[in-house]
Amino acid sequence: MRALYDVPAPAKLNLFLHVLGRREDGYHLLQSVFVPIDWMDTLHFERRDDGQLRRHDLTEPLPAEDLCLRAARALQEASGCRWGVDISIDKQVPSGAGMGGGSSDAATVLLALNRLWGLHWPRARLQALGQRLGADVPFFLGPGPAWVEGIGERLSPVALPAADYFVVKPAVSLPTREIFAHPLLARDTRAAIVEDFLADPATFGKNDLQAAAQALSDEVGQAGRWLEARFGNSRMTGSGSAVFAIVPARNGAAAAAPGVEAQWLKELPAGWVGRLCRGLEQHPLSGWASD
């Protein structure tokens, strides 16, 4: 195999995000449900025979040493593989949004190179490597929606009802470190169990990071109010700044009509981006690593 083209890297939403405490090493203990959505980056891979790792930015420029190159290097070193790769990235998921775009790209790199380089590593081995790159990376290695605990490394598959989400990313991007250090961050939410969430996924819980994010930027609150006015609900995902609403069925049907989503997008303030997204029952690369 010499190349893989049009390989997807989906974003995710946190349907809730609770902070239960903090470990002695400073990492926060979390509970959340992650769902992949059909807002995606697209990556292309061409194998190199000289062992070099190169990245090519097809849209917005990325940092010189981003998670994609770090993921490729980590897999190359851990496997002892002599191949290299050219990675081209069509970046569509907004950065600084709390949607996991960089972590998803890194996971797609691991899955694609596992196939392109003929390594045949099982999912668990890739996830152990991915955890060293970032807490969200193991989730994006599949297979789909998950109940998340610990610092993000403990994943349990969870079946979710089909849902549409309208996702809004304000112009501002928020520094995750400042949010986790903010005095408004609650760190004592009581632990829940999966059954609590499944009893009413649409209304369960909250995002414990949202108050801190709104204190740092009123745009997060503005986005929430914009969504509340149209869909009757809103919640920030991750550490923000993106905010989403579950689209009620009647609006979901209307959204399928030509021009409805376009009209919502016209109503967004300048510099904001948004998209009507579908929650995915499976990661699109769920079959690319064995269990």
Side-chain angles (χ1 to χ4, degrees):
M1 185 179 295
R2 298 289 310 182
L4 291 166
Y5 298 111
D6 300 317
V7 185
K12 58 86 177 164
L13 297 176
N14 296 78
L15 299 189
F16 74 93
L17 178 54
H18 293 169
V19 182
L20 310 187
R22 183 162 52 179
R23 302 192 318 191
E24 290 184 2
D25 61 7
Y27 283 97
H28 287 79
L29 297 170
L30 310 174
Q31 280 189 324
S32 186
V33 164
F34 289 3
V35 58
I37 58 175
D38 62 356
W39 195 340
M40 305 186 187
D41 295 337
T42 303
L43 288 77
H44 313 284
F45 301 87
E46 296 178 343
R47 199 185 75 194
R48 297 178 64 102
D49 297 334
D50 59 7
Q52 294 189 44
L53 306 174
R54 301 281 182 86
R55 194 197 70 233
H56 311 279
D57 301 331
L58 303 180
T59 48
E60 67 175 82
L62 298 173
E65 184 69 7
D66 75 321
L67 269 180
C68 287
L69 284 178
R70 288 172 55 196
R73 186 169 295 109
L75 184 61
Q76 186 184 56
E77 292 175 355
S79 66
C81 182
R82 65 181 180 87
W83 303 118
V85 69
D86 283 292
I87 305 171
S88 300
I89 304 179
D90 179 358
K91 190 73 179 168
Q92 297 297 321
V93 176
S95 302
M99 297 167 65
S103 295
S104 184
D105 292 344
T108 288
V109 167
L110 294 177
L111 288 165
L113 295 186
N114 188 43
R115 174 172 288 199
L116 187 66
W117 290 345
L119 303 179
H120 307 296
W121 281 22
R123 193 186 320 278
R125 192 174 181 186
L126 291 172
Q127 287 177 327
L129 184 64
Q131 187 179 334
R132 290 160 40 192
L133 298 166
D136 288 350
V137 176
F139 164 73
F140 287 110
L141 290 163
W147 176 270
V148 181
E149 295 184 290
I151 62 171
E153 83 285 8
R154 292 162 51 194
L155 304 169
S156 302
V158 60
L160 297 177
D164 292 318
Y165 307 93
F166 197 81
V167 185
V168 171
K169 165 63 171 65
V172 67
S173 295
L174 299 177
T176 300
R177 182 171 297 181
E178 287 187 29
I179 290 174
F180 275 103
H182 200 280
L184 288 180
L185 175 64
R187 298 182 176 88
D188 57 356
T189 298
R190 185 172 65 88
I193 58 175
V194 178
E195 286 74 15
D196 295 338
F197 167 76
L198 292 178
D200 192 356
T203 62
F204 176 81
K206 60 188 185 300
N207 185 332
D208 283 337
L209 309 185
Q210 189 160 349
Q214 290 177 174
L216 290 172
S217 174
D218 187 54
E219 284 194 52
V220 176
Q222 291 175 24
R225 293 189 291 273
W226 189 94
L227 290 165
E228 290 275 355
R230 288 156 181 79
F231 307 109
N233 69 96
S234 70
R235 183 168 293 173
M236 188 178 79
T237 181
S239 58
S241 62
V243 183
F244 67 94
I246 299 172
V247 180
R250 63 182 185 278
N251 287 336
V260 174
E261 181 184 4
Q263 181 58 45
W264 290 339
L265 294 175
K266 285 181 181 178
E267 297 171 6
L268 290 176
W272 292 22
V273 294
R275 185 173 295 192
L276 180 66
C277 298
R278 186 72 169 171
L280 303 177
E281 296 181 9
Q282 286 188 317
H283 189 288
L285 304 179
S286 61
W288 282 36
S290 63
D291 293 320

